[in-house]
């Protein structure tokens, strides 16, 4: 229980900071959906999907590789940090220079001619994100959770303030004459026809907030690469890179390809870019599940590695999975039954709300993504990361095939179901392989009961409709009853808590 308490404590700090930070950042969704029509929000959705894919390439799997080599007895954390950071610095600067130089051609290829400035912003964002990745990993390794939390929240707050400045204050200064002293400054850069560009400019400037917090992580840094040592790190990290790339394809492929795979006129009166914008806005409502999973990942990865040598590790990991699934099913039910009023808060234009039915599917897909992350510990601890590569690449192929098949028939609903099919398939593959190579006694029956009961609660909330507040009260009472019944179902869990 001591180990579980430590994990719970670290997850709480990471979780609170991540949830608070991401929630604050998520407050940009009402701002963006009120200012940008769906087709412009589609541009933001697509380009951030490309950023997510390229971020994986930039870091080259070095975060997990750093954790592995920094905790090996025959290695030391500073040696691992020097090699990982220096290599990422060289790679990121090189890649971003190429993107910056070829920005006009890239903008034309993406069908956004004249948007080369936006591509240049993205090039610098990619480099800055990659450069801070290893310092943040070092901060996590030494359990400086509050330093990590402060850095993340400060950057997000600055990003929000800059979005408010560029999208709300600058138009008032330029057009309405607010704050005359600032008008010459604003007029020097502000162009109302390029509002989307400022979303990326704000992101880049917000990354500067990381610097005061990560200075600690550079203690002892020596810009030095030891080729034999780095080669070992890269050999370990390359499958992680492929897994990360395939995993990001699983999550982002629909946002990258939706406008191209969707038949013209599939949604009458809407362009494909507008359909992508609707999908992107509704996808953001699944963020509540993603927040919990991300918080758990920050704390659990070093936790799993640190406890791997414990003789009771398999039983410990099984209990972690049980708690994880119950928490995620609770989030699924709570968000799904409250989706109507949540959308009123976070999505401002009515044109976006026609896609709300995809949210429960995406929540469940994210839940299975989290289950897969838990299961993946078997190949990380046994150094059989190539199995993770196989599973994730197969998942990416399933995603691509499912999107090609389902989008022309179902539109963005097809994209949501493709995401679910992918992660469900990956869970099955990882579970059966993991039980062969690193047996963990997962309580499968209990987990299936948690999942099935959660889905039943969701369908009961749909089927039984009451008036106004009574419907809200009934739906949330169902969620509470579900939670109480699951605790009663698992007596050991009740005793531990």
């Amino acid at each position: 229980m001591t180990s579980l308490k430590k994990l719970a404590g670290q997850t709480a700090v990471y979780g609170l900071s991540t949830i608070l930070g991401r929630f604050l950042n998520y407050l940009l969704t009402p701002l963006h959906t009120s200012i940008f029509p769906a087709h412009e929000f589609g541009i933001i959705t697509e380009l951030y999907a490309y950023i997510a894919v390229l971020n994986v390439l930039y870091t080259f799997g070095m975060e997990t590789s750093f954790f592995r080599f920094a905790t090996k007895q025959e290695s030391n954390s500073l040696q691992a940090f020097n090699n990982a950071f220096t290599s990422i610095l060289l790679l990121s600067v090189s890649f971003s220079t190429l993107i910056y130089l070829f920005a006009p051609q890239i903008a034309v290829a993406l069908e956004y001619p004249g948007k080369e400035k936006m591509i240049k912003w993205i090039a610098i964002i990619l480099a800055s994100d990659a450069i801070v990745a290893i310092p943040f990993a070092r901060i996590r390794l030494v359990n400086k959770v509050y330093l990590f939390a402060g850095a993340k929240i400060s950057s997000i707050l600055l990003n929000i303030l800059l979005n408010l400045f560029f999208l709300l204050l600058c138009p008032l200064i330029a057009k309405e004459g607010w704050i005359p002293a600032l008008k010459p400054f604003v007029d020097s850069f502000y162009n109302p026809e390029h509002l989307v560009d400022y979303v990326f400019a704000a992101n880049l400037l917000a990354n500067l907030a990381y610097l005061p917090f990560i200075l600690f992580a550079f203690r002892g840094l020596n810009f030095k690469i030891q080729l034999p040592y780095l080669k070992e790190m890269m050999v370990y990290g390359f499958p992680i890179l492929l897994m990360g790339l395939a995993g990001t394809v699983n999550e982002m492929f629909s946002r990258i390809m939706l406008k191209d795979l969707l038949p013209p006129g599939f949604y009458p009166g809407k362009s494909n870019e507008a359909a992508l914008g609707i999908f992107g806005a509704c996808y953001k409502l699944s963020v509540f599940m993603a927040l919990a999973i991300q918080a758990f990942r920050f704390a659990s990865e070093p936790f799993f590695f640190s406890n791997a040598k414990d003789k009771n590790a398999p039983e410990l990991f099984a209990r972690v999975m049980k708690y994880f699934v119950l928490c995620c099913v609770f989030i699924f039910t709570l968000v799904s039954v409250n989706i109507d009023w949540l959308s009123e808060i976070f999505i401002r234009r009515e044109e976006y709300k026609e896609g709300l039915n995809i949210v429960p599917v995406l929540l469940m897909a994210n839940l299975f993504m989290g289950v897969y992350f838990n299961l993946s510990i078997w190949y990380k601890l046994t150094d059989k990361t190539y199995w993770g590569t196989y599973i994730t690449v197969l998942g990416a192929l399933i995603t691509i095939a499912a999107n090609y098949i389902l989008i022309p028939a179902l539109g963005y609903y097809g994209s949501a179901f493709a995401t679910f099919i992918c992660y469900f398939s990956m869970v099955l593959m990882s579970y059966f392989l993991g039980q062969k190579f690193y047996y963990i006694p997962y309580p499968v029956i209990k987990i299936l009961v948690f999942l099935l009961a959660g889905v039943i609660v969701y369908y009961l909330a749909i089927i039984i409709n009451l008036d106004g507040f009574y419907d809200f009260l009934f739906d949330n009472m169902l969620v509470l009853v579900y939670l109480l019944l699951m605790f009663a179902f698992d007596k050991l869990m009740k005793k531990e808590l």
Side-chain angles (χ1 to χ4, degrees):
M1 283 302 294
T2 302
S3 296
L4 276 177
K5 286 179 181 178
K6 183 178 179 181
L7 175 61
Q10 291 182 356
T11 301
V13 178
Y14 283 125
L16 287 173
S17 63
T18 302
I19 291 171
L20 176 62
R22 287 284 296 274
F23 182 76
L24 289 171
N25 200 26
Y26 189 62
L27 294 178
L28 291 174
T29 301
L31 174 66
H32 290 166
T33 54
S34 64
I35 290 177
F36 299 115
H39 71 277
E40 289 190 351
F41 193 74
I43 296 173
I44 297 171
T45 299
E46 182 181 6
L47 291 179
Y48 268 112
Y50 279 111
I51 288 174
V53 173
L54 290 171
N55 270 335
V56 177
L57 289 171
Y58 270 59
T59 53
F60 205 83
M62 277 292 177
E63 286 179 273
T64 303
S65 187
F66 166 73
F67 280 126
R68 183 60 172 164
F69 280 77
T71 55
K72 278 187 173 183
Q73 291 182 352
E74 64 273 17
S75 181
N76 67 77
S77 61
L78 186 57
Q79 183 184 23
F81 178 74
N82 288 336
N83 281 271
F85 178 77
T86 306
S87 59
I88 293 299
L89 178 65
L90 294 173
L91 285 171
S92 59
V93 171
S94 300
F95 290 159
S96 283
T97 299
L98 289 174
I99 294 173
Y100 193 94
L101 292 175
F102 291 96
Q105 293 85 344
I106 294 171
V108 172
L110 294 175
E111 300 179 2
Y112 301 129
K115 295 285 188 181
E116 57 268 12
K117 183 182 290 186
M118 189 165 56
I119 304 301
K120 291 178 179 179
W121 289 127
I122 290 172
I124 306 172
I125 288 171
L126 287 166
S128 61
D129 284 343
I131 289 168
V132 300
I134 303 302
F136 273 127
R138 191 180 188 191
I139 288 171
R140 288 166 57 197
L141 184 68
V142 297
N143 295 323
K144 297 287 185 180
V145 291
Y146 295 103
L147 194 64
F148 180 93
K152 292 293 183 180
I153 291 175
S154 297
S155 178
I156 289 168
L157 286 173
L158 181 56
N159 187 37
I160 293 170
L161 291 174
L162 288 168
N163 269 270
L164 292 172
F165 173 72
F166 286 130
L167 301 180
L168 291 183
L169 188 57
C170 283
L172 293 173
I173 293 172
K175 295 179 181 179
E176 306 296 332
W178 283 32
I179 315 178
L182 289 179
K183 194 173 189 310
F185 169 68
V186 171
D187 288 342
S188 67
F189 67 84
Y190 178 71
N191 185 338
E193 296 181 1
H194 295 91
L195 284 181
V196 173
D197 294 24
Y198 299 123
V199 173
F200 298 96
N203 187 337
L204 173 60
L205 293 173
N207 282 2
L208 297 175
Y210 289 144
L211 293 177
F213 294 91
I214 64 174
L215 290 176
F216 160 82
F218 291 106
R219 189 176 298 170
L221 172 64
N222 186 357
F223 293 98
K224 182 179 180 181
I225 290 179
Q226 299 163 290
L227 289 178
Y229 187 85
L230 179 61
K231 182 180 178 181
E232 287 185 52
M233 294 187 73
M234 295 182 75
V235 168
Y236 182 88
F238 185 68
I240 306 296
L241 164 66
L242 294 180
M243 282 187 287
L245 187 59
T248 309
V249 168
N250 291 340
E251 186 176 354
M252 297 295 173
F253 184 78
S254 56
R255 280 172 269 188
I256 291 174
M257 295 303 297
L258 180 62
K259 75 173 186 181
D260 295 318
L261 296 177
L262 197 63
F266 185 91
Y267 294 102
K270 291 184 174 61
S271 66
N272 286 3
E273 288 81 4
L276 175 58
I278 293 169
F279 178 74
C282 292
Y283 202 108
K284 285 183 174 291
L285 287 173
S286 68
V287 74
F288 299 101
M289 186 72 75
L291 288 175
I293 293 169
Q294 184 178 2
F296 178 80
R297 289 183 67 175
F298 281 137
S300 64
E301 192 166 53
F303 171 84
F304 283 140
F305 281 122
S306 299
N307 287 276
K309 295 182 177 66
D310 192 307
K311 65 178 182 179
N312 296 319
E315 290 76 15
L316 177 63
F317 297 162
R319 288 154 64 199
V320 168
M321 173 72 87
K322 180 178 68 175
Y323 288 119
F324 174 82
V325 172
L326 179 61
C327 290
C328 287
V329 176
F330 172 70
I331 293 169
F332 165 79
T333 54
L334 193 64
V335 175
S336 295
V337 303
N338 291 292
I339 194 64
D340 289 334
W341 70 264
L342 285 172
S343 67
E344 292 294 328
I345 297 172
F346 293 106
I347 299 178
R348 293 299 185 180
R349 295 190 183 213
E350 286 299 318
E351 66 175 320
Y352 290 104
K353 296 179 183 177
E354 64 184 59
L356 287 178
N357 288 338
I358 68 172
V359 176
V361 180
L362 292 170
L363 286 168
M364 188 58 74
N366 277 307
L367 187 154
F368 278 99
M369 177 183 69
V371 172
Y372 172 73
F373 173 77
N374 270 274
L375 292 171
S376 68
I377 195 61
W378 70 264
Y379 58 72
K380 293 178 182 177
L381 293 178
T382 58
D383 291 340
K384 297 182 185 295
T385 51
Y386 54 87
W387 278 112
T389 305
Y390 298 152
I391 294 169
T392 315
V393 169
L394 282 172
L397 294 175
I398 291 170
T399 296
I400 294 169
N403 273 284
Y404 271 98
I405 294 169
L406 296 177
I407 287 176
L410 302 175
Y412 42 67
Y413 289 92
S415 293
F417 283 113
T419 303
F420 172 79
I421 292 168
C422 163
Y423 288 123
F424 182 74
S425 302
M426 290 171 64
V427 163
L428 291 179
M429 287 185 281
S430 186
Y431 172 75
F432 288 109
L433 285 167
Q435 296 304 87
K436 178 181 177 182
F437 292 105
Y438 187 92
Y439 177 75
I440 297 176
Y442 292 117
V444 176
I445 299 299
K446 289 181 180 180
I447 288 172
L448 291 176
V449 170
F450 292 164
L451 289 167
L452 180 60
V455 172
I456 290 172
V457 166
Y458 166 62
Y459 276 107
L460 284 175
I462 292 177
I463 294 168
I464 303 173
N465 289 307
L466 304 176
D467 293 330
F469 177 74
Y470 294 105
D471 190 59
F472 166 82
L473 186 62
F474 174 77
D475 290 347
N476 285 280
M477 284 297 294
L478 276 177
V479 176
L480 180 60
V481 169
Y482 160 78
L483 199 59
L484 293 174
L485 287 175
M486 292 307 101
F487 279 122
F489 173 68
D490 192 325
K491 295 180 181 179
L492 176 61
M493 180 169 60
K494 181 180 178 181
K495 180 181 178 181
E496 288 180 340
L497 290 178

